[in-house]
Amino acid sequence: MTSRNQQLFEQSQKVIPGGVNSPVRAFKSVGGYPVFFQRGQGAYFWDVDGKSYIDYVGSWGPLILGHAHPEVIRTVQATAEKGLTFGAPTEAELEIAELICKLIPSIEQIRLVSSGTEAGMSAIRLARGFTGRNKIIKFEGCYHGHDDALLVKAGSGALTFGNPSSAGVPQEIAGHTIVLDYNDSYRLEETFDKLGNEIAAVIVEPVAGNMNLIAPKAEFLTTLRTLCTQHDSVLIFDEVMTGFRVGLDCAQGLYQIKPDLTILGKVIGGGMPMAAFGGRREIMQYLAPVGAVYQAGTLSGNPVAVAAGLATLKLIQETGFYENLTNKTRQLTEGLTVSAQKHGIDFCAQSIGGMFGLYFSKHIPASFAEVMACDKDAFNRFFHSMLIKGVYFAPSAFEAGFVSSMHDSSEINETLSAAESIFADW
Ligand SMILES: *Cc1c(COP(=O)(O)O)cnc(C)c1O
């Protein structure tokens, strides 16, 4: 008997390339069929066959409050009743702009857009317009959305398919992008020595989350800041994933580094399509309509998306929110590690705030090459065994995982006992 899941996937492939609207959803990396979902509540979501799962993907990051948080839903409904879009400014846009500028001191001015891709693309154009330079530096395995300039040895879906660059990106555009190794300060210094006065911007995930999770070496981030300042290059922190995920003051607060521009997405939209880029006023003033760098969007600052974002940002400011989230995430990673190692499996894990990495490896990787050396087949076996037991991890060994505030000790313990029984039979 075929499940409704399988049926839907067969049908979808006829009208949607690969049956999905974003590549990593297709389960190509882990094999098998993607799961089609119909509803979510808190830490759980239900597929079209009625099976429930504990969700550690959280729509790839936005759902820090879990699925369908009642306050977020209420705000969204009330806002929608007053009209879905005006294509003109609203008071709520001012409110969220002021709030983000207050929570992230490096952001003096901010502009709202609809996706992380758009934010990354706009920040690069702005940095180029501001500096009058073309070259940018990015790091292998970091993903900053699918803009041409940034889809050069990108992570996430592109990495998962072992096809890091994309067809359709002109060499003339990719040629302006210099790709270096994450956490490699030496090569970075060398590159700046040679090309410093040509580099418009360095874009980096301050905690890399699109090649599994790679923590930054403190010295790597410090070097980045120093070199960009010395050479008048714009330091762009891509906090689309880490923003309000690793802590209320984001990765830049955690590591005490002030970027020139920051891009945000995921959590700030609370599950609706919203993202942003912002930073030093001097740079942001180069944007149209005040400056010469053009950037626009019909649905930018959409009222319903802003409402979801505001409701989310309000709830995450509650006392103890991140302490709780951090503790629960650590409980998960430590529990999995103890359980796997007890059964002699080469496995380790780490977490930063509400994001985590699982590695079928003896040691926690610190570079792209070390992540690539993890046992991908072991991960895939673990992924499918957990899926059967109703635990949904990201369908790829190269993605970070997420815990929400709705994951309680009972969900974490259920996850750990599912893993324990799998590791015991390994
Ligand atoms: C998800 C992500 C993006 C892209 O955001 P979209 O909204 O999917 O376009 C960019 N950068 C990072 C670090 C991300 O995790």
Side-chain angles (χ1 to χ4, degrees):
M1 201 180 75
T2 51
S3 68
R4 178 121 184 92
N5 259 318
Q6 273 168 292
Q7 257 173 34
L8 290 177
F9 187 52
E10 298 300 336
Q11 271 176 266
S12 295
Q13 284 170 291
K14 292 185 186 143
V15 286
I16 301 171
V20 292
N21 281 314
S22 195
V24 79
R25 295 180 194 172
F27 276 41
K28 266 199 123 158
S29 174
V30 289
Y33 292 93
V35 184
F36 281 61
F37 287 94
Q38 56 176 347
R39 139 183 111 80
Q41 188 64 63
Y44 293 86
F45 57 171
W46 284 262
D47 72 12
V48 289
D49 291 312
K51 181 177 163 74
S52 77
Y53 303 82
I54 301 174
D55 182 12
Y56 289 104
V57 180
S59 192
W60 302 93
L63 299 183
I64 198 160
L65 302 173
H67 290 272
H69 191 286
E71 273 184 57
V72 178
I73 299 299
R74 210 178 305 126
T75 311
V76 162
Q77 284 172 338
T79 307
E81 279 171 15
K82 294 188 227 157
L84 294 179
T85 175
F86 307 116
T90 59
E91 197 171 338
E93 287 165 82
L94 168 64
E95 196 184 331
I96 200 165
E98 284 179 341
L99 178 58
I100 294 174
C101 290
K102 188 188 90 182
L103 293 173
I104 308 178
S106 75
I107 302 184
E108 296 169 343
Q109 290 207 314
I110 188 165
R111 178 155 286 173
L112 302 181
V113 294
S114 301
S115 73
T117 292
E118 215 187 326
M121 174 187 88
S122 306
I124 293 293
R125 184 181 305 138
L126 178 59
R128 285 174 165 161
F130 175 72
T131 56
R133 304 170 179 175
N134 285 336
K135 288 195 168 57
I136 58 170
I137 294 178
K138 80 174 286 286
F139 299 94
E140 187 165 16
C142 284
Y143 178 67
H144 308 291
H146 60 88
D147 176 42
D148 282 355
L150 295 168
L151 211 54
V152 183
K153 294 200 175 183
S156 195
L159 179 62
T160 303
F161 299 146
N163 181 18
S165 299
S166 165
V169 175
Q171 184 51 47
E172 290 79 0
I173 292 176
H176 292 298
T177 304
I178 300 163
V179 182
L180 300 178
D181 281 329
Y182 195 81
N183 271 337
D184 184 348
S185 304
Y186 178 77
R187 283 293 311 281
L188 189 64
E189 277 173 358
E190 209 179 50
T191 308
F192 264 98
D193 274 349
K194 241 187 285 172
L195 298 168
N197 59 358
E198 294 176 48
I199 293 163
V202 182
I203 186 165
V204 66
E205 289 180 67
V207 173
N210 285 284
M211 47 171 160
N212 205 326
L213 188 159
I214 303 288
K217 291 179 180 160
E219 145 243 86
F220 175 63
L221 295 181
T222 318
T223 307
L224 270 172
R225 181 62 280 176
T226 308
L227 290 171
C228 285
T229 304
Q230 272 171 6
H231 296 271
D232 295 319
S233 304
V234 177
L235 177 58
I236 305 172
F237 268 16
D238 179 347
E239 297 229 40
V240 171
M241 184 183 288
T242 54
F244 305 111
R245 168 56 66 183
V246 299
L248 190 59
D249 47 3
C250 309
Q252 54 196 271
L254 192 61
Y255 298 101
Q256 293 289 302
I257 302 281
K258 208 169 171 181
D260 302 302
L261 292 179
T262 299
I263 70 176
L264 295 165
K266 298 190 171 127
V267 170
I268 67 159
M272 295 292 290
M274 187 171 72
F277 63 105
R280 279 164 52 196
R281 179 173 288 104
E282 182 195 2
I283 303 176
M284 294 300 286
Q285 286 288 311
Y286 270 69
L287 275 182
V290 278
V293 175
Y294 195 71
Q295 182 277 334
T298 301
L299 292 177
S300 291
N302 174 266
V304 184
V306 169
L310 273 172
T312 302
L313 293 180
K314 192 177 119 206
L315 289 161
I316 63 176
Q317 288 179 73
E318 282 174 5
T319 318
F321 181 90
Y322 285 99
E323 207 182 334
N324 258 324
L325 189 68
T326 301
N327 288 342
K328 274 186 295 197
T329 312
R330 195 173 300 134
Q331 198 188 330
L332 173 74
T333 52
E334 284 177 358
L336 288 173
T337 306
V338 167
S339 172
Q341 291 181 354
K342 185 176 74 187
H343 296 290
I345 298 161
D346 288 342
F347 175 94
C348 48
Q350 69 177 334
S351 65
I352 301 178
M355 64 192 277
F356 63 85
L358 311 178
Y359 321 93
F360 282 86
S361 156
K362 273 197 174 63
H363 307 288
I364 288 175
S367 68
F368 177 76
E370 285 173 20
V371 164
M372 289 299 115
C374 292
D375 187 343
K376 185 169 170 272
D377 294 337
F379 173 82
N380 292 351
R381 187 144 62 96
F382 176 70
F383 168 82
H384 279 292
S385 309
M386 291 298 275
L387 193 68
I388 289 166
K389 291 182 179 292
V391 180
Y392 192 90
F393 285 115
S396 162
F398 305 116
E399 300 287 349
F402 304 104
V403 169
S404 83
S405 59
M406 300 303 284
H407 289 72
D408 271 325
S409 286
S410 63
E411 280 84 37
I412 305 282
N413 288 335
E414 199 180 318
T415 306
L416 294 179
S417 60
E420 167 64 26
S421 70
I422 290 162
F423 290 146
D425 292 339
W426 200 256

